[in-house]
Amino acid sequence: MRTNLTLLWIGLLPATLLAGCGGSKEEKKDEESVSTLGAVSAMKEMAAQAEEMQKNGPVATVDFRSLKELLPADADGLPRKEATGEKNGTAGFTISTATGKYANADDTESIELAIIDGGGSGMMMGLAAWSMLEVDKETADGYEKTSKIGDNKAYEKYDNGDKNGEVDVLVNKRFVVSAKGRGVSMDKIKAALDDVDLDKLSNLK
């Protein structure tokens, strides 16, 4: 059983990495994406997490309704158009997600905020493979790097030409907060992320 559980999370790694990094054209410009660089480390971490959860059992995730309450009414001035939530699970492990979509009147500027709770599972570490890396890359088109927001490990990526970017933060080793923007500056994306109370999120159980 232990081996099967470990293999399950490792087998899910490609899907979770793709889910975390997306499949848009601008994100495929970098030949060496952070997901590729972090694959080996992520598999090792996921295996370790699976072994630990085999001993302790799964941790119940926060109800997605509680996560939705942390979504701001607007993202740095962009009004919220939609707020959704869901809980999905397999093999006794669940992930709760709350998502808010924000945009101006003509949709030329948009931001999506997502709050994900994986209960500290190996699958969550697959979504946050960048948290096990130190990345600092800059090109004529933009940049990609790991950083810190408060005491939390973060990942940033921005395309100057398209004005598309994202900031992801790993909170309390179990929550991932993601802010993805289109047609906006990185400063605006970060400001939208600041509207989420990370301290309150960290204390949710």
Side-chain angles (χ1 to χ4, degrees):
M1 177 63 180
R2 178 178 297 178
T3 301
N4 290 339
L5 184 59
T6 302
L7 290 176
L8 170 64
W9 293 123
I10 293 175
L12 287 171
L13 175 62
T16 55
L17 287 175
L18 287 173
C21 295
S24 61
K25 291 181 180 179
E26 64 270 11
E27 290 173 332
K28 292 179 180 178
K29 288 181 179 180
D30 295 332
E31 294 180 0
E32 290 185 305
S33 68
V34 69
S35 60
T36 301
L37 292 170
V40 174
S41 295
M43 283 192 290
K44 290 179 181 179
E45 181 65 26
M46 288 170 71
Q49 289 277 349
E51 293 289 343
E52 187 66 21
M53 293 195 73
Q54 174 70 16
K55 297 175 184 177
N56 301 328
V59 176
T61 56
V62 173
D63 190 296
F64 68 81
R65 295 169 184 84
S66 296
L67 300 180
K68 280 181 67 178
E69 291 177 359
L70 295 177
L71 292 172
D74 68 86
D76 193 43
L78 295 178
R80 191 171 70 196
K81 304 294 186 179
E82 181 181 2
T84 60
E86 62 181 353
K87 178 182 283 189
N88 296 299
T90 182
F93 304 101
T94 58
I95 288 182
S96 291
T97 306
T99 304
K101 295 183 179 181
Y102 307 80
N104 60 0
D106 60 3
D107 287 328
T108 55
E109 297 182 359
S110 65
I111 291 177
E112 180 176 292
L113 291 174
I115 306 173
I116 307 168
D117 176 21
S121 70
M123 182 178 287
M124 177 54 69
M125 296 312 297
L127 288 169
W130 43 264
S131 67
M132 293 168 277
L133 301 170
E134 294 297 330
V135 177
D136 191 359
K137 181 179 179 180
E138 186 173 321
T139 69
D141 296 321
Y143 75 91
E144 178 181 20
K145 69 177 182 179
T146 50
S147 60
K148 275 205 167 184
I149 295 179
D151 294 328
N152 304 302
K153 188 69 177 285
Y155 165 66
E156 304 176 25
K157 186 174 183 177
Y158 192 74
D159 186 300
N160 295 317
D162 296 333
K163 291 187 177 180
N164 295 337
E166 67 178 281
V167 181
D168 303 310
V169 184
L170 179 63
V171 179
N172 200 23
K173 296 183 178 180
R174 65 176 287 174
F175 302 100
V176 170
V177 182
S178 173
K180 296 183 179 181
R182 294 183 180 278
V184 295
S185 66
M186 176 55 83
D187 286 342
K188 194 171 188 68
I189 296 172
K190 289 183 176 180
L193 187 65
D194 286 341
D195 290 334
V196 179
D197 191 334
L198 300 184
D199 290 334
K200 186 174 183 180
L201 174 63
S202 179
N203 291 324
L204 289 180
K205 295 181 180 179

